[in-house]
Amino acid sequence: MSDNKDVSLESLGEFGLIDHLTSQIEIKNESTLKGIGDDAAVLDYKGKQTVVTTDLLLQGIHFDLVYTPLKHLGYKAVMVNLSDVYAMNAIPKQITVSLGLSSKVTLPFVEQLYEGIQLACDKHHVDLIGGDTTTSLTGLTISVTAIGEAGSEDIVYRSGAKPNDLICVTGDLGGAYMGLQVLEREKRVHEGNLKVQPDLSGYDYILERQLKPEARRDLIEFLKEIGVKPTAMIDISDGLSSEILHICKQSNTGCRIYENKIPIDHVTSLMAEEINMNPTIAALNGGEDYELLFTISMADYEKFSKETDLKIYTIGHITEESKGKILVSNSDQEIALQAQGWNMGSHH
Amino acid sequence: MSDNKDVSLESLGEFGLIDHLTSQIEIKNESTLKGIGDDAAVLDYKGKQTVVTTDLLLQGIHFDLVYTPLKHLGYKAVMVNLSDVYAMNAIPKQITVSLGLSSKVTLPFVEQLYEGIQLACDKHHVDLIGGDTTTSLTGLTISVTAIGEAGSEDIVYRSGAKPNDLICVTGDLGGAYMGLQVLEREKRVHEGNLKVQPDLSGYDYILERQLKPEARRDLIEFLKEIGVKPTAMIDISDGLSSEILHICKQSNTGCRIYENKIPIDHVTSLMAEEINMNPTIAALNGGEDYELLFTISMADYEKFSKETDLKIYTIGHITEESKGKILVSNSDQEIALQAQGWNMGSHH
């Protein structure tokens, strides 16, 4: 896809561009009857329930093209949405992608973005079924809508947590935020605002957490395998603190989580130390980790003893609403959990 | 909703804003199991097919806030998507709406936009089931995705037209484009670039065509009533010429349409005359009329004799592909139909 450097988008036209970008798309799911190419896509779900989620990503708010490779950006734009589908205990099947493009962008620019979108779709067996492509006067705009399916008994809402349920989380937290700090520092160096060139090597893990997050399909498959349906579930896009508060609010419960149980990778801790930040703060408020936070009844706990490569941590438990939403710190202090200040749409 | 002039969006927070805007939403459709408030909405279609369509509207490209009332803008953003659902011969059931908002906008600004969105939903019996709200550095962004349903036998694609099928269109064409010319002229007056103040009265019809288009649910209902399934259908968003070419391309046919059969309102003609433009050009290339263009087999023609308030015009017929895509002009000349120059995403 690299001989197109001189092709202008205007010479292709909107329909030419869409044809070009979507010509190699093969339909992966039986429920996709018709994808791109008509007024709307056509889906067919026989008796299954359908979930729908959407996210809008804007240049300068959600991504910085200075340090975000376009392929990664396309990949991440899809992952963010698939993550929401998995958080319903559903399996994503289709996405639509709308792009607002500056008239200055070149075909290879859009191709790289699409390569990432395609890669994400392939990896998660999802069909790209439609979208809209338009000129933008003001930078890149990406809007993704994902559609998934689940058996009607399987869908997990945020509202089902009960006192004594265990609170679990996958993977590790705070890494995406710390990766962002590395990138922002790098950007300042290139802008000449820092004297010393920092060394990017050794930060690979948290850079990948920021630039190429992976939605946790593996947890959903594992839960099915061991026969556990969480009582509540949410994905971690805004930070652990904000997400656990959502579950408590919608379930009318309190919670008690333990700082020393929150999984944090050592590279995350290392970078936090470098910039004099408490890594727990990054985990609580950093966001963009796209791990899954879920609650299970005590009775299901032993089913998690089955061997898996998937990292799942129990970080606390649900309490009566009157007990409050509490973080027990490493020094055994009880701290009320708070949603971070609103930075509308900015997870940074 | 007018005592909120001093409420800043930041003090509400994203979740506060969404709660505020969506608190009065009542679910209208049985297929909507869960709307706003979790990671994704949940739908249930028992054996029906689902259609999905999406549009991205960007400030400066698709709308100009100088002359577009926010309520109308919200209404139109929804209509554009519902129109695509109807063009599949399906009935819209749910929408998601994502908004990118400048941090400077006030609560009443967003409320007016939402009033229009709600009005469109109410009128078309559609549930608003989710979305995303984010800060924009660069003006207003609106992304709408619509979901609809149809019996599996009922869906109409662009690809089913056959030689000798009649080509029909609803309503009248070119009005939305001429309404835009009135508004643009008015804007130039306010900017002091014109000496004489033009009179807006008398232009109501075409202003409404531009600012408050109505998706043609009535045609879909009428087709059901008379038992006709079109062989192909598309909505007119980019102009008659572009749309008929889509049908011909996907159906591998030619077409023959007659200039003197194209329905044009007298106010459209009046304005066209004022600015020395051929109104047929506005109908062919103007776009944004959101009427439906469809083809029917000759055998179904007599069914259209049933009385209706709906205006349906036969403007030509489908031919073999080798015959070309022809407009027969008022002076009996044969002109090859062409897609207008690409103005990516701009229907103006």
Side-chain angles (χ1 to χ4, degrees), chain A residues 4-60:
Chain A
N4 300 313
K5 290 217 174 71
D6 297 329
V7 178
S8 79
L9 291 188
E10 287 190 353
S11 72
L12 272 174
E14 179 184 359
F15 305 120
L17 176 63
I18 293 170
D19 284 351
H20 175 83
L21 294 171
T22 60
S23 59
Q24 286 166 336
I25 291 177
E26 282 172 23
I27 289 195
K28 305 178 189 77
N29 293 292
E30 224 181 286
S31 55
T32 311
L33 296 187
K34 166 86 183 176
I36 290 160
D38 215 295
D39 297 282
V42 183
L43 314 180
D44 188 12
Y45 291 105
K46 292 208 172 65
K48 290 241 172 183
Q49 288 184 359
T50 311
V51 306
V52 181
T53 178
T54 190
D55 275 293
L56 182 62
L57 304 182
L58 301 177
Q59 186 173 346

Side-chain angles (χ1 to χ4, degrees), chain B residues 67 132 175 214 247 274 276 293:
Chain B
Y67 52 68
D132 189 20
E214 190 63 38
I247 286 183
E274 262 185 65
N276 293 315
L293 176 71

Side-chain angles (χ1 to χ4, degrees), chain B residues 21-326:
Chain B
L21 294 171
T22 61
S23 59
Q24 286 167 336
I25 291 178
E26 282 172 24
I27 290 197
K28 305 176 188 78
N29 292 292
E30 224 181 286
S31 54
T32 310
L33 295 188
K34 166 84 182 177
I36 289 161
D38 215 295
D39 297 282
V42 182
L43 314 180
D44 188 13
Y45 291 105
K46 293 211 172 63
K48 290 241 174 183
Q49 290 184 358
T50 312
V51 306
V52 182
T53 178
T54 190
D55 275 292
L56 182 62
L57 304 181
L58 301 177
Q59 185 173 347
I61 302 286
H62 301 95
F63 54 88
D64 187 331
L65 290 179
V66 169
Y67 52 68
T68 312
L70 285 160
K71 189 173 167 182
H72 286 71
L73 180 57
Y75 191 86
K76 182 169 174 175
V78 176
M79 279 307 146
V80 169
N81 276 273
L82 301 190
S83 182
D84 279 324
V85 173
Y86 293 127
M88 304 299 290
N89 202 29
I91 300 292
K93 294 289 177 178
Q94 291 92 8
I95 60 166
T96 64
V97 177
S98 292
L99 298 177
L101 300 168
S102 155
S103 58
K104 277 174 276 177
V105 308
T106 59
L107 185 54
F109 178 101
V110 192
E111 284 179 340
Q112 284 167 43
L113 195 62
Y114 249 76
E115 254 185 85
I117 290 169
Q118 273 299 135
L119 184 62
C121 287
D122 289 347
K123 204 159 170 187
H124 287 255
H125 207 71
V126 162
D127 292 320
L128 176 60
I129 56 164
D132 189 20
T133 305
T134 180
T135 307
S136 162
L137 293 179
T138 51
L140 181 60
T141 303
I142 309 174
S143 177
V144 179
T145 299
I147 297 162
E149 65 170 51
S152 51
E153 301 299 304
D154 294 335
I155 289 183
V156 174
Y157 295 99
R158 296 173 179 175
S159 54
K162 298 267 180 304
N164 298 321
D165 283 357
L166 296 171
I167 302 171
C168 304
V169 68
T170 56
D172 58 82
L173 304 180
Y177 182 75
M178 281 302 146
L180 182 67
Q181 301 315 307
V182 175
L183 291 165
E184 291 281 356
R185 186 169 70 180
E186 179 76 348
K187 183 182 172 185
R188 289 194 299 274
V189 169
H190 281 290
E191 289 170 355
N193 299 333
L194 268 189
K195 300 266 145 64
V196 190
Q197 167 87 41
D199 190 353
L200 269 183
S201 69
Y203 295 114
D204 297 10
Y205 179 68
I206 55 177
L207 290 173
E208 182 163 325
R209 294 293 289 170
Q210 168 57 222
L211 293 172
K212 196 167 178 279
E214 190 63 38
R216 296 249 72 122
R217 185 188 187 96
D218 47 4
L219 176 71
I220 306 310
E221 291 173 343
F222 181 67
L223 290 171
K224 215 145 274 173
E225 198 183 319
I226 62 174
V228 170
K229 181 185 173 185
T231 53
M233 185 153 55
I234 190 169
D235 76 320
I236 300 185
S237 55
D238 292 329
L240 176 60
S241 184
S242 169
E243 314 305 352
I244 189 73
L245 290 175
H246 276 302
I247 286 183
C248 289
K249 185 183 173 195
Q250 295 203 24
S251 300
N252 301 310
T253 64
C255 69
R256 198 169 173 89
I257 63 178
Y258 297 87
E259 183 179 8
N260 64 6
K261 303 281 191 186
I262 298 173
I264 294 174
D265 189 85
H266 73 282
V267 183
T268 303
S269 299
L270 204 74
M271 180 61 191
E273 197 178 315
E274 262 185 65
I275 62 170
N276 293 315
M277 188 181 194
N278 181 340
T280 301
I281 301 294
L284 288 173
N285 297 333
E288 293 202 287
D289 288 314
Y290 300 107
E291 297 294 340
L292 289 170
L293 176 71
F294 59 102
T295 56
I296 56 166
S297 78
M298 286 284 268
D300 280 332
Y301 183 64
E302 66 188 57
K303 295 183 185 159
F304 283 84
S305 61
K306 188 175 162 75
E307 208 177 313
T308 171
D309 288 340
L310 189 60
K311 285 169 183 148
I312 302 173
Y313 302 91
T314 306
I315 61 169
H317 59 273
I318 296 292
T319 60
E320 298 290 342
E321 191 166 23
S322 60
K323 298 279 174 65
K325 291 92 179 171
I326 302 297

